[in-house]
Amino acid sequence: MFEFQFMGTGNAGGVPLWGCDCPACEAARLDSNRQRRSCSALIRTDEGITLIDAGVAELGQLFRFEEVRRVLLTHFHMDHVQGLFPLRWSECEQRIPVFRPDDPEGADDLYKHPGVFEFRPPSADFETIELPGFSLMTLPLIHSRVTQGFLIRHGDWRLAYLTDTRGVPEQTMKRLQDEPVDELVLDCSEPPRVPAPRNHNDLTLALAVWRQSGAKRLWLTHISHRLDLWLQQGGELPDGVYVASDNLVLSPDDVA
Amino acid sequence: MFEFQFMGTGNAGGVPLWGCDCPACEAARLDSNRQRRSCSALIRTDEGITLIDAGVAELGQLFRFEEVRRVLLTHFHMDHVQGLFPLRWSECEQRIPVFRPDDPEGADDLYKHPGVFEFRPPSADFETIELPGFSLMTLPLIHSRVTQGFLIRHGDWRLAYLTDTRGVPEQTMKRLQDEPVDELVLDCSEPPRVPAPRNHNDLTLALAVWRQSGAKRLWLTHISHRLDLWLQQGGELPDGVYVASDNLVLSPDDVA
Ligand SMILES: [Mn+2]
Ligand SMILES: [Mn+2]
Ligand SMILES: [Mn+2]
Ligand SMILES: [Mn+2]
Ligand SMILES: [Zn+2]
Ligand SMILES: [Zn+2]
């Protein structure tokens, strides 16, 4: 058994955005399937669950302690780590390993009081980590804080999870081109916009990265209410480009 | 209209604690009325809502932007402020004032990126703040971080909200004795315990503060699963001492 699931597909404010009455936010209030939590995902195997980022607040209700085998952090912005703060006070003896980029600050007092979490030595860029049922390679990204994406391999299937980022570094692009992925999950916080955002992709940048990478499919994530509104108002995406949604599962078995 | 409501009555890990299968945590999983979120409260008047601490993650679902008139922070530990991180990205033009103790660090990057929140100059100890429908006085507490409680006055009714703290400073005790309160809401993280916890009250310390203060009633808050377990197993409280619970309302009109 192996599956990748989007847990959250929203930007830091999420959808609906607090206090916003735009048509996209109003639609999300009426239909929970349109809501977008903090950007995060998970991998489910026979061994248990690997969390990719931890910005969703209700992790403790969604997952039993025993099933969470590890956490992979892309970076230490609060929208990607805030869910760890209450969980750390668990009094279980078992420690949950946390893989992370080389960010000596971390978030607030998380390094000082890690509780049940065991922060592994920082992962180098392009480091391969072998795990039961899959492997991953860290890919450096371009963001306001040191950030790594993950190239996830299960058998012949490849998924790249790249958020938060604005474009990608040359070496990361080369790695993607060397071994084109089936599924490219990519930061696309904004609709096409001039100038492009400073620390995230807009749709124009996301499409350019996708085309250059040779990936089969592109999944947009880290989505703002502005991108949802643009789509709601008729914005069109090329074939092979999909908008991710919370709880959506991508599984190698789905691939024709 | 004036009422005080407990929003959360748990310690930093909450009840149920993640991964714990003690009888208190199991009972809380079966009965949501026994669950305890991050320690916090609110005051509701005709004007709207004043939040006292903001550790509850789902603030954005519980309250509309327009009704939140201000936030009072006791201190900057994550279990008291974590709910502000997603809300700050609201794009409303209105700013929400945040009253706070003099802690130059704040929490993570909250001072750097306050978003819709407007941090007021730090409140001095024993400062009186007049607000529509009530007033409050800041009372210094004893904790691992600079922390203030609040003496809340509405007409003749007095409530002191004192968490997180281990005992209270002499000057704060004197203030309480000068004007004994109807309701003393007090940190009581642990059942009677030797040695007492370092930064919080156990029940022994909480009762001592209550008796010395002359307060009519004592409400225990910031409760751990250990205190709940102790109560579940027959631990007894003196007359006039109550265990707070999430969503419970205290209103001056209830007072005989
Ligand atoms: Mn982000
Ligand atoms: Mn970020
Ligand atoms: Mn606390
Ligand atoms: Mn505290
Ligand atoms: Zn909106
Ligand atoms: Zn327990």
Side-chain angles (χ1 to χ4, degrees):
Chain A
M1 193 234 185
F2 177 93
E3 61 184 37
F4 170 94
Q5 184 170 24
F6 292 98
M7 182 156 47
T9 57
N11 69 347
V15 182
L17 187 67
W18 198 45
C20 183
D21 59 2
C22 83
C25 289
E26 290 293 11
R29 280 189 196 96
L30 294 172
D31 177 2
S32 65
N33 292 316
R34 287 168 173 264
Q35 294 179 8
R36 300 187 187 280
R37 299 183 289 199
S38 289
C39 192
S40 53
L42 64 90
I43 291 165
R44 197 176 275 112
T45 69
D46 293 327
E47 181 214 17
I49 281 167
T50 297
L51 298 178
I52 303 178
D53 281 336
V56 166
E58 59 270 29
L59 292 176
Q61 282 121 67
L62 293 172
F63 307 106
R64 286 176 301 108
F65 180 89
E66 299 75 27
E67 63 188 343
V68 177
R69 308 310 300 257
R70 65 191 63 80
V71 183
L72 313 175
L73 294 182
T74 60
H75 66 306
F76 282 90
H77 275 152
M78 282 303 282
D79 56 318
H80 297 257
V81 300
Q82 58 206 359
L84 300 181
F85 285 89
L87 299 189
R88 62 181 163 165
W89 304 117
S90 172
E91 292 168 10
C92 294
E93 279 180 37
Q94 184 79 30
R95 292 288 169 268
I96 297 175
V98 181
F99 296 81
R100 58 175 170 130
D102 191 3
D103 185 332
E105 299 291 314
D108 203 65
D109 63 353
L110 202 49
Y111 284 165
K112 192 174 165 197
H113 300 294
V116 290
F117 296 108
E118 180 192 299
F119 287 95
R120 290 292 175 92
S123 307
D125 289 343
F126 305 106
E127 183 174 332
T128 293
I129 302 170
E130 297 288 346
L131 297 168
F134 64 104
S135 78
L136 56 93
M137 176 187 280
T138 57
L139 300 177
L141 299 177
I142 301 171
H143 194 48
S144 50
R145 199 148 179 179
V146 51
T147 303
Q148 290 175 332
F150 304 107
L151 172 61
I152 296 162
R153 297 187 182 99
H154 170 75
D156 291 338
W157 184 79
R158 304 281 178 274
L159 179 147
Y161 186 86
L162 308 184
T163 189
D164 297 4
T165 196
R166 182 195 201 274
V168 294
E170 206 178 300
Q171 287 295 95
T172 291
M173 179 53 77
K174 200 171 164 313
R175 198 69 204 67
L176 292 170
Q177 290 169 336
D178 284 353
E179 186 183 343
V181 300
D182 301 285
E183 319 290 350
L184 174 59
V185 178
L186 189 60
D187 181 325
C188 182
S189 296
E190 301 288 337
R193 170 183 135 171
V194 180
R198 204 154 53 134
N199 299 312
H200 294 280
N201 290 328
D202 68 348
L203 181 60
T204 309
L205 279 168
L207 291 176
V209 169
W210 173 54
R211 291 192 173 113
Q212 217 187 326
S213 75
K216 277 192 202 141
R217 282 168 292 275
L218 173 62
W219 295 89
L220 309 181
T221 192
H222 208 278
I223 292 167
S224 69
H225 68 143
R226 280 179 297 274
L227 178 55
D228 270 335
L229 186 61
W230 182 84
L231 291 163
Q232 200 179 339
Q233 293 177 339
E236 290 190 3
L237 301 174
D239 284 352
V241 180
Y242 304 91
V243 182
S245 58
D246 288 19
N247 304 316
L248 182 77
V249 171
L250 299 183
S251 158
D253 310 331
D254 299 342
V255 182
Chain B
M1 192 234 186
F2 176 92
E3 61 184 33
F4 170 94
Q5 185 170 23
F6 292 98
M7 181 156 48
T9 57
N11 70 346
V15 182
L17 187 65
W18 198 44
C20 184
D21 59 1
C22 83
C25 288
E26 290 294 11
R29 281 189 195 94
L30 295 172
D31 177 2
S32 66
N33 292 318
R34 287 167 173 264
Q35 295 180 8
R36 299 188 186 279
R37 299 183 289 198
S38 290
C39 191
S40 52
L42 63 90
I43 290 165
R44 196 176 276 113
T45 69
D46 293 327
E47 181 213 16
I49 281 167
T50 297
L51 298 178
I52 303 178
D53 281 337
V56 166
E58 58 272 28
L59 292 176
Q61 282 121 66
L62 294 171
F63 307 106
R64 286 176 301 107
F65 181 88
E66 299 74 27
E67 64 188 340
V68 177
R69 307 310 299 257
R70 66 192 62 81
V71 183
L72 313 174
L73 295 182
T74 60
H75 66 305
F76 282 90
H77 276 153
M78 281 302 282
D79 55 317
H80 297 257
V81 299
Q82 59 207 356
L84 299 182
F85 285 89
L87 299 189
R88 63 181 161 165
W89 304 118
S90 171
E91 293 168 9
C92 293
E93 277 180 38
Q94 184 80 31
R95 292 289 169 268
I96 298 176
V98 181
F99 296 82
R100 56 171 170 133
D102 191 3
D103 186 332
E105 299 292 313
D108 202 67
D109 63 353
L110 202 49
Y111 283 166
K112 192 174 164 196
H113 299 294
V116 291
F117 295 109
E118 180 191 300
F119 287 95
R120 288 291 175 92
S123 306
D125 289 342
F126 305 106
E127 183 173 333
T128 293
I129 302 169
E130 296 289 346
L131 297 168
F134 64 106
S135 78
L136 56 94
M137 177 187 279
T138 57
L139 300 177
L141 299 176
I142 301 172
H143 193 48
S144 50
R145 201 150 176 175
V146 52
T147 302
Q148 290 175 332
F150 304 106
L151 172 62
I152 296 161
R153 297 188 182 96
H154 170 76
D156 291 338
W157 185 79
R158 303 280 179 273
L159 180 147
Y161 186 85
L162 307 184
T163 189
D164 300 1
T165 195
R166 183 196 202 274
V168 295
E170 206 178 301
Q171 287 296 94
T172 292
M173 179 55 76
K174 198 170 167 312
R175 200 69 204 67
L176 292 170
Q177 290 169 336
D178 284 352
E179 186 182 342
V181 300
D182 301 284
E183 319 289 350
L184 174 60
V185 178
L186 188 61
D187 182 324
C188 182
S189 297
E190 302 288 337
R193 170 183 136 171
V194 178
R198 203 153 54 133
N199 300 312
H200 295 280
N201 290 328
D202 68 349
L203 182 59
T204 309
L205 280 169
L207 291 176
V209 170
W210 173 55
R211 289 191 175 114
Q212 217 186 324
S213 75
K216 277 191 204 145
R217 282 168 292 274
L218 172 63
W219 296 88
L220 309 180
T221 193
H222 208 278
I223 292 168
S224 69
H225 69 141
R226 281 178 297 274
L227 179 57
D228 270 334
L229 185 61
W230 182 85
L231 291 162
Q232 199 178 336
Q233 292 177 340
E236 291 190 0
L237 300 174
D239 283 353
V241 181
Y242 304 90
V243 182
S245 57
D246 289 19
N247 303 318
L248 182 78
V249 171
L250 298 183
S251 158
D253 310 331
D254 299 342
V255 181

